[in-house]
């Protein structure tokens, strides 16, 4: 889980799943698969686009931020 938490934080910081995956020496496909599984298991989305259009950044959702905060406390 620690690696997944770091991936989520990296996406939030960098605004891009591909940049976050690359920063962790992880393939985009693997990162995307992990996030899809996490969203499905949790029942909510962890990431959202910051606006509309094709060049928007990704960021953590409110639920995603709460999850990361709870994980850190744990």
């Amino acid at each position: 889980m620690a690696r997944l938490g770091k991936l989520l934080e990296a996406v939030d910081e960098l605004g891009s799943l591909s940049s976050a995956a690359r920063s962790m020496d992880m393939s985009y496909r693997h990162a995307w698969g992990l996030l899809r599984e996490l969203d499905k298991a949790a029942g909510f989305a962890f990431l959202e686009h910051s606006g509309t259009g094709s060049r928007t950044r990704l960021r953590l959702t409110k639920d995603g931020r709460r999850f990361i905060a709870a994980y850190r406390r744990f």
Side-chain angles (χ1 to χ4, degrees), residues 7-47:
L7 176 64
L8 289 168
E9 290 172 333
V11 171
D12 196 47
E13 178 184 331
L14 299 171
S16 161
L17 180 58
S18 60
S19 295
R22 193 170 31 256
S23 77
M24 298 180 63
D25 294 323
M26 182 185 296
S27 74
Y28 175 86
R29 182 181 172 109
H30 181 70
W32 183 248
L34 287 174
L35 291 175
R36 279 195 337 218
E37 288 180 29
L38 182 63
D39 287 353
K40 185 177 177 183
F44 61 87
F46 280 77
L47 298 173

Side-chain angles (χ1 to χ4, degrees), residues 1 15 65:
M1 181 58 202
R65 289 184 193 287

Side-chain angles (χ1 to χ4, degrees), residues 29-73:
R29 182 181 172 109
H30 181 70
W32 183 248
L34 287 174
L35 291 175
R36 279 195 337 218
E37 288 180 29
L38 182 63
D39 287 353
K40 185 177 177 183
F44 61 87
F46 280 77
L47 298 173
E48 64 186 0
H49 287 275
S50 61
T52 59
S54 61
R55 303 296 277 162
T56 62
R57 295 171 54 90
L58 284 176
R59 64 181 176 203
L60 287 169
T61 62
K62 288 181 184 179
D63 288 332
R65 289 184 193 287
R66 276 184 249 159
F67 178 86
I68 292 293
Y71 178 74
R72 285 183 187 144
R73 285 191 305 271

